[in-house]
Amino acid sequence: IITYNSVISAAANSFGDTNVKSKAFRIAMDTFKKVQLTEGIQPTSRTYFLLIKAIRKLIGPEDQRRMMASKIMEYCVKDGVVNNHIISQLELNCGSKDEYTDIFQGLPGYEGGYPKLNEMPTSWRCNANRIK
């Protein structure tokens, strides 16, 4: 997973014009798909942190960023790896508290309000301390 995370990190930290950023984002997402399809490898908190960072830095329109971050958060919750780093990236990704809160709508166990890590369901963070 360390190698895959390194590729996603390199993509997330890319800079340049829209074309370069688009290519970098495709690399990040293709790498994430490989992680999902590779037997014996599971995404970690760091994987999701880097994906959300890639969304924040490489995707233009806010609505598109929010939609993508919501989808990544679904996977993150399912894998139980939510941590403070992921929450921080989500907050940076959103233009307002309402947009941040909207990402959590529809996630299992979300009870409304401004989501804070210590108030999130344990199942969302049960694997967050796995080796990265």
Side-chain angles (χ1 to χ4, degrees), residues 25 28 33 35 42-43 48 53 65 81 101 104 113 119 122 124:
F25 187 71
K33 288 174 189 171
V35 169
Q42 295 179 312
Y48 289 109
K53 181 178 181 179
R65 282 198 315 261
V81 294
T101 302
F104 293 86
E119 298 171 358
T122 306
W124 290 17

Side-chain angles (χ1 to χ4, degrees), residues 78-132:
K78 181 181 73 66
D79 289 342
V81 294
V82 178
N83 68 12
N84 281 322
H85 299 292
I86 290 166
I87 298 304
S88 295
Q89 276 302 318
L90 282 174
E91 288 173 328
L92 289 170
N93 196 48
C94 297
S96 70
K97 288 183 177 185
D98 287 339
E99 288 178 15
Y100 171 73
T101 302
D102 286 348
I103 287 175
F104 293 86
Q105 298 297 327
L107 292 175
Y110 175 66
E111 297 178 1
Y114 191 83
K116 297 178 186 162
L117 185 64
N118 62 341
E119 298 171 358
M120 293 178 186
T122 306
S123 63
W124 290 17
R125 22 190 187 107
C126 63
N127 296 317
N129 294 324
R130 248 185 0 226
I131 300 292
K132 296 158 191 78

Side-chain angles (χ1 to χ4, degrees), residues 8 11-12 25 28 49-59 89:
I8 296 170
F25 187 71
F49 162 81
L50 292 167
L51 282 170
I52 295 167
K53 181 178 181 179
I55 291 167
R56 179 174 63 83
K57 292 182 77 181
L58 303 174
I59 299 298
Q89 276 302 318

